[in-house]
Amino acid sequence: MILDALPLQDPTWQLFAGTLAVLLVASIVGGLLKWRVAQGRPHAVIDNLNSRVNAWWVMVALLGVAFTFGKPGALVLFAFTSWAALREYITLTHTRRADHLALALLFYLVLPLQYFLIWIEWYGLYSIFIPVHAFLVLPILACLRGDTRRFLERTAKVQWGLMICVYCVSHVPALLTLEIPGYEGRQLLLVAYLIIVVQGSDVLQYVWGKLLGRHKIAPELSPSKTVEGFVGGVASATLLGAALHGVTPFTPLQSAAVALTLCLMGFLGGLVMSAIKRDRGVKDWGTLIEGHGGMLDRLDSVVFAAPMFFHIVRFWWTP
Amino acid sequence: MSRVHDLMAWPVRLLVLAAVRAWTGARPLWAGEPPGGRPCVYFANHTSHGDAVLVWATLPAHQRRRLCPVVDAEPGGATALRRFLARCLFAWPRPAGDSGAATLQGHSLLVFPEGCRNTGEQALLPFAAPLYQRRQAHPEMDFVPVWIANMRRVMPPGEWLPLPLACTVSYGVPLVRVDGEDEATFLARAAAAVLALRPEEET
């Protein structure tokens, strides 16, 4: 039998195959909607849905390729993710010429070094390198140029960008450094779990919102988020998390509680990132991912959920 | 151009294009139709040494090959590296007789009518007369206004390390022909067309 040749018992493959099946269904539904509802004519919502699904194919493929290379693959993928996110963030941030050296250091030294520290699994340094060392050195470099205009604002914005785009994102691959008794060599599954639950929550909120959404939950922050989408999305993503407990070191109940925390952090993180966008007067962070906007538009919920997840697992599941 | 240059030019072009795209995203925004095969005159704001390369990288391939920037520093006065890059990327050296001969050879010109790089706080410096003279000499060519956004932050004057920041190049619709327009009116109209392309976030 050809099925026996496939590693169907391997949870990584099961997750991957499940994701591909969901994408396939999404593509078919998108194609049917385009055919029957839009009848091939341009339709804002359906076309956006289809470009979102297409972008998901690319993102899942990239994750799949990275995962086959294990830890180095995940580190390189998320380092580039941080790079793209930081580029979008700094592009939309007011900086002055005097910040040039500090910004160059951000991209060319702080970012690679943070991922290198995770590579060598030096927890004591990678957990404080950015919030202590980088935060102290960057304003020093900026002030040495003698330009004090909007100095506090410039410093705060650069630090916050570094925090969300590099420090928080780097906690996704940092999951690989956790030594959980009885779970050795399977930490990539934790990364997959985090991404599936948090992004699944986003997707399910979108689906529930489009189907049933009536009441806006935060109209001044994010006009597309609704109460129905939030409740339905978070509830179903929590169930998804519980169903995925087999790939984690958690029991079903623990897995549901962890997933609920991740979904709530992801949702609130999305609101914070929306507030920054509104402050800057833009709708999207960038144009990198068709249908979604920029890297940060896709990543906003992961940014807030990743460090939380890392520390939950580290505190309760590692000795 | 020597044979060595010919051989080197192709990989250098690919490398520069890949680097510019990786660092800046180099995204063109077209207000009208992208230009066809006809040579045109692009006139843009000028804030960084990287401006000409960014415009070059965002143009469609058939326009990119014929682009010939008219910059303040002539290649004779520039460093060897910049001279080499200019020869690889652009339709360089520029044919004698400036835009007249360029038109004959099918080149497109990129001019920075501010005359020098704008390092101050002003959005745009007043345009200088040569743009008007070009227009008088070649009323049949399309004069396309261009706004280069963010390049000043990627490589500010005096810095050598480019930052990775998203850059867009906005191309407007070509200026309409107005017969008998005087120099000051034309230059003001051209400057207004460039300024109108400035994205909201920059203001």
Side-chain angles (χ1 to χ4, degrees):
Chain A
M1 288 289 284
I2 192 159
L3 281 178
D4 293 334
L6 289 169
L8 287 177
Q9 297 308 312
D10 181 352
T12 315
W13 274 102
Q14 289 170 349
L15 276 187
F16 202 60
T19 312
L20 290 184
V22 170
L23 279 181
L24 206 58
V25 170
S27 285
I28 292 169
V29 169
L32 283 176
L33 283 174
K34 180 82 184 166
W35 177 46
R36 294 308 297 263
V37 179
Q39 301 190 324
R41 287 193 294 271
H43 184 291
V45 175
I46 295 176
D47 290 345
N48 178 260
L49 172 76
N50 283 325
S51 36
R52 275 169 188 255
V53 174
N54 291 342
W56 270 117
W57 279 103
V58 177
M59 290 187 276
V60 169
L62 281 176
L63 278 168
V65 170
F67 273 31
T68 56
F69 290 97
K71 187 170 136 189
L75 277 169
V76 168
L77 178 72
F78 283 97
F80 274 106
T81 306
S82 279
W83 168 276
L86 193 61
R87 188 172 84 173
E88 283 169 4
Y89 180 94
I90 300 291
T91 299
L92 284 183
T93 308
H94 173 85
T95 59
R96 295 173 58 79
R97 253 176 79 186
D99 296 318
H100 193 84
L101 184 61
L103 291 173
L105 205 73
L106 217 67
F107 282 100
Y108 299 124
L109 195 69
V110 177
L111 190 156
L113 206 54
Q114 170 73 4
Y115 281 90
F116 175 73
L117 292 173
I118 293 174
W119 165 257
I120 60 170
E121 311 201 356
W122 187 355
Y123 172 78
L125 192 51
Y126 75 65
S127 58
I128 60 158
F129 170 61
I130 284 174
V132 176
H133 302 97
F135 276 22
L136 293 177
V137 170
L138 290 173
I140 293 175
L141 287 177
C143 87
L144 284 180
R145 297 285 189 91
D147 183 354
T148 54
R149 276 182 59 186
R150 297 167 79 175
F151 184 74
L152 182 58
E153 181 192 332
R154 280 154 47 202
T155 306
K157 282 177 171 172
V158 168
Q159 289 181 337
W160 178 231
L162 195 55
M163 199 68 191
I164 51 181
C165 302
V166 184
Y167 187 76
C168 289
V169 173
S170 74
H171 278 71
V172 181
L175 288 167
L176 300 175
T177 66
L178 293 174
E179 304 282 345
I180 304 161
Y183 195 70
E184 288 82 6
R186 298 168 63 196
Q187 291 95 329
L188 264 180
L189 287 171
L190 278 183
V191 176
Y193 174 86
L194 169 70
I195 294 172
I196 290 174
V197 168
V198 176
Q199 299 289 0
S201 164
D202 281 2
V203 172
L204 289 162
Q205 283 178 43
Y206 172 89
V207 172
W208 283 103
K210 285 274 176 268
L211 292 178
L212 303 175
R214 298 283 178 277
H215 307 90
K216 291 192 158 86
I217 195 164
E220 62 286 352
L221 289 176
S222 180
S224 58
K225 286 192 164 72
T226 60
V227 178
E228 293 81 357
F230 168 67
V231 174
V234 170
S236 41
T238 302
L239 289 178
L240 176 68
L244 288 175
H245 76 95
V247 304
T248 67
F250 319 137
T251 66
L253 206 60
Q254 288 169 340
S255 190
V258 170
L260 180 63
T261 314
L262 297 185
C263 294
L264 291 177
M265 278 312 283
F267 173 78
L268 298 170
L271 288 186
V272 172
M273 300 298 280
S274 282
I276 301 177
K277 282 190 284 185
R278 298 293 168 272
D279 182 26
R280 294 297 299 129
V282 293
K283 199 183 136 290
D284 288 325
W285 282 102
T287 53
L288 193 67
I289 314 175
E290 189 158 0
H292 297 262
M295 181 64 90
L296 275 172
D297 291 293
R298 190 59 278 132
L299 217 63
D300 48 9
S301 41
V302 175
V303 159
F304 279 67
M308 198 61 109
F309 184 55
F310 176 88
H311 286 290
I312 288 174
V313 177
R314 187 168 186 279
F315 188 79
W316 276 293
W317 275 272
T318 64
Chain B
M1 204 185 267
S2 69
R3 255 196 103 72
V4 181
H5 269 113
D6 276 341
L7 283 174
M8 301 275 291
W10 182 72
V12 168
R13 274 201 295 268
L14 278 188
L15 202 71
V16 172
L17 199 59
V20 172
R21 284 186 179 156
W23 255 246
T24 69
R27 204 160 56 93
L29 300 170
W30 298 94
E33 288 290 302
R38 293 206 313 152
C40 24
V41 177
Y42 302 97
F43 58 103
N45 60 326
H46 194 21
T47 57
S48 160
H49 280 315
D51 283 344
V53 176
L54 191 71
V55 170
W56 172 84
T58 51
L59 281 174
H62 58 274
Q63 281 285 327
R64 194 184 304 143
R65 272 196 296 276
R66 65 176 75 217
L67 188 69
C68 173
V70 183
V71 286
D72 40 354
E74 291 300 313
T79 62
L81 176 71
R82 286 178 59 194
R83 226 163 31 233
F84 171 74
L85 275 180
R87 280 172 184 276
C88 288
L89 304 188
F90 303 118
W92 205 290
R94 193 165 71 236
D98 214 357
S99 51
T103 316
L104 286 180
Q105 297 191 4
H107 290 326
S108 282
L109 294 182
L110 169 61
V111 291
F112 297 110
E114 288 167 284
C116 57
R117 272 178 299 147
N118 175 4
T119 57
E121 303 281 328
Q122 260 179 295
L124 199 63
L125 301 175
F127 280 6
L131 184 69
Y132 178 70
Q133 288 146 16
R134 274 204 181 92
R135 175 66 160 190
Q136 292 298 93
H138 300 283
E140 77 290 350
M141 282 178 88
D142 277 345
F143 277 61
V144 182
V146 178
W147 181 270
I148 300 165
N150 240 356
M151 201 59 197
R152 182 209 296 257
R153 296 176 63 206
V154 170
M155 217 150 71
E159 302 289 347
W160 51 273
L161 209 57
L163 288 182
L165 295 174
C167 294
T168 54
V169 181
S170 306
Y171 296 89
V173 288
L175 291 180
V176 288
R177 276 185 63 182
V178 177
D179 288 321
E181 195 178 25
D182 66 54
E183 184 180 307
T185 321
F186 171 76
L187 291 178
R189 188 161 69 96
V194 170
L195 256 184
L197 298 168
R198 190 183 186 200
E200 255 176 60
E201 305 96 81
E202 276 215 349
T203 51

